[in-house]
Amino acid sequence: MKSIKQGISVILTALLIFSFVSCSDRKPEETTADTTTEAQTTADPAPENSLLLFDGESFLYKMIRPEKTSDVTLRAFTSLRNALSTLAGGTNVKLSDDFIKNESEIGEREIAIGRTNRPITASLTSKMGAMASYEISVSDRGIAICGTSDSQTEQGVRYFIDTYLKENIVKVGDKMYIRCGSYSSEKTMPSFGQYLSYCKENGKEMSFTSEEYMQVPPIKDHTIMQGGCIDADGKYAYFLFQKNNVSSIAKYDFAKKELVSTNYKIGTDHSNDACFNPKLNAVVVVHNAPNYKLISMFDADTLERKGAPIHFTENIYSIAYNEATDRYIVGISGDYNFAVLDSDFNIVSRFTGAKTGYTRQGVNADSEYIYFVQSTGTTQYIVVYKWDGTHVGTLPLNGIKYEVEHAFHIGTQLYISCYRGGGKGGVTYKINLNIE
């Protein structure tokens, strides 16, 4: 009799083990639309293959981010915190960074955003290469969202909020669950700065080539190319030319490489650099010599001046604008230092630049990186920083034989423009990344 009871006990134990389903990294099953909008009855069991996020008014997970993080990652972190709090009717969401004294402090219920020191983050980054992408994982190990760069992490968080949460939240009474699963984004070309950072972090040598994209002829007797920029859509490019510190501006259809219009003698002196501000629909021009403190704006459609010149507080030689941050970058004359400005041209922060000894020219910026172009006359260089002032690297622009003047980008594609010399106008090069 005793052996029969033991046999029955073994069989029941096996059945219980077989029926237990735990979270895994497999993709979530498709669900009907009403699972995210209507609560199931309290009599319903907890959904299979899911994590319990909210229990009544309590959020059971803690959000963590890297101890040292960028404004981009912090913005993504905050947006997810707000989305989760709103999802649960204003419930407080616990926040922290990833600093720990020992591994025993790592909790099982964590939502890791960005490149944290947590094992669940490492399991995502191990899948990544040089191509831009992000990974999402919801499993019994926790929740993690991480990209190959800060901007990719932000895109991952945006996808998680806009798509994953909406499709995979299940309410059971006063409890809220999220279905387990994973998501890998499409891999796309990284920016110049992202690829440089990847190579630095992985001990690889960065490789890229340049190819001539278009030649830009002079505007009448103004033959020397100076500043330039492109609009937010990458449709129209703007090039400035000068002679004896008297300048003109030309507008081109960049894809067709066709001249659209010009404005001759616009009163911006040397016109050393320019940027495009889509919020103002304006081309913003730094005068430089001899009026080093002046900044002028021109309507991007008509090329007509917009208001009187702005008198900045310091001498500057270059300018860039990034819409995502709503900030300008300016190069401070007389040295390699630079400053971040708000949209009203007030200095927000200052940074000490790398003293390369090269001639300082224009600057360009995306949401993560700042690119100064410099020249020795015979060799051209690009000097890359992060927005926090960190110097990422200085690289020669091999294959570009003319003096570099300015840089701009369309998406992640970088372009460099140069003065051809001899009164021939300018030329724009396309920078191609050689990714393994």
Side-chain angles (χ1 to χ4, degrees):
M1 177 66 72
K2 183 176 180 181
S3 62
I4 293 174
K5 288 182 178 180
Q6 289 175 337
I8 292 172
S9 176
V10 170
I11 292 171
L12 289 173
T13 301
L15 288 172
L16 285 170
I17 293 172
F18 180 76
S19 62
F20 178 75
V21 179
S22 64
C23 279
S24 66
D25 282 337
R26 66 185 180 219
K27 292 187 181 295
E29 298 176 359
E30 292 185 2
T31 59
T32 55
D34 61 357
T35 58
T36 62
T37 56
E38 296 182 6
Q40 299 180 16
T41 64
T42 55
D44 289 340
E48 294 182 346
N49 197 32
S50 64
L51 303 178
L52 177 60
L53 279 182
F54 295 94
D55 187 356
E57 296 183 356
S58 299
F59 183 63
L60 303 181
Y61 280 72
K62 178 171 67 175
M63 287 183 60
I64 62 169
R65 58 170 175 79
E67 183 182 4
K68 294 182 179 180
T69 191
S70 69
D71 290 342
V72 177
T73 298
L74 187 60
R75 183 171 62 232
F77 187 76
T78 302
S79 66
L80 180 56
R81 185 271 309 273
N82 294 341
L84 290 172
S85 179
T86 301
L87 190 65
T91 298
N92 182 53
V93 177
K94 293 173 286 186
L95 306 174
S96 180
D97 59 41
D98 64 356
F99 174 78
I100 56 172
K101 293 182 179 179
N102 56 69
E103 292 188 2
S104 64
E105 297 180 40
I106 299 177
E108 295 181 357
R109 292 180 171 179
E110 292 184 333
I111 301 176
I113 305 302
R115 289 180 172 262
T116 73
N117 56 17
R118 299 306 200 250
I120 190 172
T121 299
S123 69
L124 298 187
T125 57
S126 64
K127 303 176 184 179
M128 300 174 184
M131 296 295 284
S133 63
Y134 60 84
E135 300 279 342
I136 297 173
S137 175
V138 181
S139 73
D140 55 359
R141 300 175 64 189
I143 300 174
I145 306 171
C146 185
T148 54
S149 65
D150 293 339
S151 63
Q152 285 294 316
T153 294
E154 185 175 36
Q155 289 185 39
V157 168
R158 191 177 301 123
Y159 175 87
F160 187 78
I161 294 171
D162 294 343
T163 303
Y164 198 97
L165 284 179
K166 290 181 179 179
E167 294 178 353
N168 294 290
I169 288 293
V170 181
K171 297 179 182 178
V172 182
D174 63 350
K175 301 179 187 296
M176 189 177 296
Y177 298 81
I178 183 170
R179 286 190 172 88
C180 294
S182 60
Y183 181 81
S184 299
S185 73
E186 180 183 356
K187 297 183 185 300
T188 58
M189 187 64 67
S191 70
F192 191 95
Q194 289 169 354
Y195 186 40
L196 175 58
S197 291
Y198 168 81
C199 291
K200 291 276 188 180
E201 292 168 2
N202 292 276
K204 298 179 180 293
E205 184 176 349
M206 184 172 179
S207 176
F208 60 93
T209 58
S210 58
E211 65 172 302
E212 184 178 310
Y213 178 76
M214 65 180 289
Q215 293 188 9
V216 189
I219 304 173
K220 298 183 179 179
D221 60 329
H222 294 172
T223 60
I224 304 173
M225 175 177 274
Q226 294 297 328
C229 60
I230 199 161
D231 67 14
D233 299 321
K235 182 173 177 57
Y236 295 111
Y238 303 85
F239 300 101
L240 290 125
F241 289 84
Q242 65 91 17
K243 179 181 179 182
N244 299 325
N245 291 334
V246 179
S247 295
S248 298
I249 186 171
K251 177 179 179 179
Y252 276 80
D253 185 309
F254 196 61
K256 296 179 180 179
K257 305 177 185 178
E258 293 178 352
L259 178 66
V260 176
S261 59
T262 62
N263 188 349
Y264 186 62
K265 294 186 177 181
I266 58 176
T268 52
D269 303 315
H270 194 76
S271 301
N272 202 65
D273 201 16
C275 65
F276 180 81
N277 186 330
K279 295 183 179 181
L280 303 176
N281 190 39
V283 178
V284 184
V285 181
V286 167
H287 285 224
N288 200 242
N291 294 298
Y292 294 91
K293 289 184 173 70
L294 293 187
I295 300 171
S296 289
M297 294 191 184
F298 295 83
D299 185 279
D301 296 327
T302 65
L303 301 185
E304 295 298 320
R305 177 179 286 277
K306 291 168 68 79
I310 298 164
H311 289 258
F312 190 56
T313 56
E314 300 187 37
N315 294 344
I316 54 176
Y317 67 90
S318 62
I319 191 165
Y321 175 81
N322 180 256
E323 184 178 10
T325 59
D326 195 24
R327 292 285 189 267
Y328 292 97
I329 292 286
V330 293
I332 307 298
S333 297
D335 209 332
Y336 294 88
N337 301 335
F338 56 98
V340 177
L341 316 181
D342 64 19
S343 57
D344 293 320
F345 299 97
N346 299 306
I347 295 178
V348 175
S349 53
R350 295 173 179 270
F351 299 104
T352 300
K355 298 184 185 301
T356 62
Y358 311 142
T359 301
R360 301 174 299 277
Q361 303 285 20
V363 64
N364 182 235
D366 56 34
S367 62
E368 291 181 281
Y369 295 93
I370 300 165
Y371 309 93
F372 283 91
V373 288
Q374 299 178 1
S375 175
T376 64
T378 56
T379 305
Q380 318 312 315
Y381 292 88
I382 184 166
V383 187
V384 184
Y385 300 90
K386 290 186 176 181
W387 275 82
D388 64 2
T390 301
H391 178 219
V392 182
T394 300
L395 297 173
L397 293 167
N398 298 322
I400 297 181
K401 60 183 179 180
Y402 301 113
E403 183 183 40
V404 64
E405 297 294 343
H406 64 259
F408 55 77
H409 67 275
I410 303 174
T412 59
Q413 179 62 61
L414 183 67
Y415 294 87
I416 303 287
S417 295
C418 306
Y419 170 49
R420 295 174 64 201
K424 298 177 182 178
V427 57
T428 297
Y429 290 91
K430 182 179 180 182
I431 305 301
N432 299 314
L433 304 179
N434 300 327
I435 297 180
E436 300 175 357

